[in-house]
Amino acid sequence: MFFNPVRTSGQPPVIDPSGDALFLDFDGTLIEMADHPDLVTVESELIAHLGELQRACSGALALVSGRRIVDLDRFLAPLRFSAAGVHGLEQRLEPEGASEPICGPEMLDEARESIRAAIAAVPGLNFEDKGTALVLHYRTAPELDETAKRIMRDAIAGRDDLVVMDGKRVIEVHPAGMDKGRAVAALMQRPPFAGRRPVFIGDDLTDEHALAFVREQGGVSIKVGIAQTCAEFRLEDVAAVRRWLGLRT
């Protein structure tokens, strides 16, 4: 997936609200990471500014996150956005529309039982069941990296309909065939996104599919942080993202 970028530093181009479609990751991009996913802080100023951007772009702003859409709504209330949750396994094409899962949670039942049994004797692993995805967090116990990966690999042994995906001190099992790039591609087929220049910004390995798709489409691909990437541009951290979006920090 990775290739040598033409440009990996310097300020990305200024957003054009009349012609751009904005696709924004959440954790590590709009907000700082936390030791537990429920402990993040979303300031009222950020929520208000996202609402202003949504209106300026005539609704062409979507959140593309590993989180469930219902959790994004909870953090960003009272606002709602078009969204792809759980890396595209949930989709909401319109802000006031319904969230549609790509698959049901039952296909993960065997893996779910395997993971629960395996982590019972491993303090430091935090299990999150998203319904359509199963996640192990180990931000407070990085030494458990290989243990977490082994547990997840074992949970889907012999299955070609499930995949393991790595992130920053997190590892996830979910159905094969969907990622953030495909989620962005689906949104770009519909108004108000269709016909606009796609802009995606994200910080994690899980964002690379979307960064690659946007770059292939001639859009603006922005990596947050210093990790290897296929993105054309970089921003240093969450504070830099907010400044680029026009929010005073």
Side-chain angles (χ1 to χ4, degrees):
M1 180 190 303
F2 298 111
F3 54 86
N4 292 327
V6 175
R7 180 178 181 183
T8 56
S9 63
Q11 192 74 359
V14 175
I15 297 168
D16 175 10
S18 67
D20 286 345
L22 295 182
F23 300 97
L24 309 175
D25 178 40
F26 189 67
D27 296 277
T29 297
L30 290 176
I31 62 168
E32 298 288 355
M33 302 291 289
D35 289 341
H36 189 281
D38 288 335
L39 298 180
V40 299
T41 300
V42 184
E43 302 89 338
S44 58
E45 293 83 3
L46 174 61
I47 296 173
H49 188 68
L50 289 175
E52 293 172 2
L53 280 174
Q54 182 186 43
R55 290 188 292 273
C57 294
S58 300
L61 186 157
L63 299 175
V64 183
S65 173
R67 288 184 183 266
R68 299 180 302 165
I69 293 176
V70 66
D71 293 327
L72 295 172
D73 287 347
R74 174 166 56 90
F75 283 118
L76 297 172
L79 300 184
R80 287 166 62 96
F81 299 87
S82 297
V86 197
H87 309 288
L89 291 169
E90 295 178 351
Q91 296 183 12
R92 183 168 69 201
L93 301 177
E94 300 176 356
E96 299 307 319
S99 299
E100 300 290 344
I102 303 302
C103 64
E106 62 278 357
M107 72 179 299
L108 291 164
D109 283 348
E110 291 184 9
R112 185 177 285 111
E113 293 178 8
S114 173
I115 294 166
R116 288 189 184 279
I119 66 173
V122 187
L125 290 176
N126 177 34
F127 178 59
E128 181 183 9
D129 189 342
K130 297 181 180 180
T132 53
L134 308 173
V135 186
L136 287 182
H137 299 268
Y138 51 97
R139 188 163 298 279
T140 60
E143 70 279 4
L144 295 178
D145 178 81
E146 289 301 322
T147 299
K149 291 177 180 177
R150 174 181 52 77
I151 289 172
M152 296 304 233
R153 287 195 300 267
D154 290 348
I156 67 166
R159 299 277 300 265
D160 58 9
D161 58 337
L162 299 177
V163 295
V164 175
M165 182 172 62
D166 289 344
K168 291 181 178 177
R169 299 288 187 264
V170 62
I171 188 163
E172 177 172 310
V173 162
H174 65 230
M178 179 53 68
D179 55 55
K180 288 187 177 183
R182 295 180 184 183
V184 171
L187 285 166
M188 283 296 296
Q189 298 301 310
R190 300 176 59 90
F193 303 96
R196 288 171 170 256
R197 178 180 68 168
V199 178
F200 184 89
I201 181 166
D203 72 300
D204 207 346
L205 182 62
T206 58
D207 296 307
E208 291 297 316
H209 294 284
L211 291 167
F213 169 77
V214 165
R215 186 167 180 182
E216 289 166 2
Q217 298 301 306
V220 179
S221 53
I222 308 168
K223 181 76 167 185
V224 183
I226 62 173
Q228 183 184 11
T229 184
C230 64
E232 188 173 4
F233 300 96
R234 286 187 191 271
L235 288 170
E236 182 179 2
D237 52 23
V238 170
V241 171
R242 294 184 178 190
R243 288 193 298 270
W244 178 74
L245 290 173
L247 178 63
R248 295 183 179 180
T249 54

